[in-house]
Amino acid sequence: MRIAIVLSLVAGIVNVSGFLAFKQLTTNVTGHFALFINDVADFAFWKGLIYFLYIFSFLLGSFLSGFLIEKFKENKKLNVFLIPTLIEGLILIIVGGLSNTLVEIYPDLLVCCLLFAMGLQNSYVTKISNAVVRTTHLTGLFTDLGIDISQLFFPKEYPNREKLKAGIKLRISIISSFFLGGLIGGFLYSKTELGLKTLLVAALILIASLFYDDFRYKVLIMKRKLHQSKTSIDTTV
């Protein structure tokens, strides 16, 4: 839940910041697909090409994340989600840092970069949660939330109430986090004159959470080793 909430917060910031900067969706491709099909139907192939590139960027990010996770999952010393997360953070830093220079000259390239980063994120959070959680868009979350709530009215068919309530709590937490990220992104973009540099805040949250998670993991491993050593000594005595 902690991972999903943080990633959803980041996606909310990227979503609003990207839309305010480019008037384009930068965390999902549903709208871009509709516009692409519309242009193709009108035989405006070159006009629709940019929407195809948006879609392809998201797909490429998702592919790279999945490929890296599969490539390094046998390495027990490496957190396989580390590399995709660092790549995403680096992209947000680059886009946010160079926004004043590139936003007017290469807006479509920056949109592609953000969609690539969100493809990365959506892929590895899907891997982490075994396809239970998405964090870059809310359509699936609201669908699953509606299904879970409807099942509360049929206790005989769905007797595991605790699991059902836990799922509802998770999805409400992710939706709320995305909403909060959107508020933060909108406020920082519009009211503090940060503009697209708001993405630097998202990158900071992402990277800080990554190292915090890694620190907690090392602490847990250390505690486990100490407990095993103590148990071994007590058994020997």
Side-chain angles (χ1 to χ4, degrees), residues 8 12 96-97 101 126 129 138 145 148 167 181 203 221 226:
S8 187
T101 306
T126 300
S129 66
L138 299 181
L145 179 61
D148 286 347
I221 292 296
L226 288 173

Side-chain angles (χ1 to χ4, degrees), residues 18 35 120 149 178:
L35 292 170
L120 277 166
I149 292 174
F178 192 94

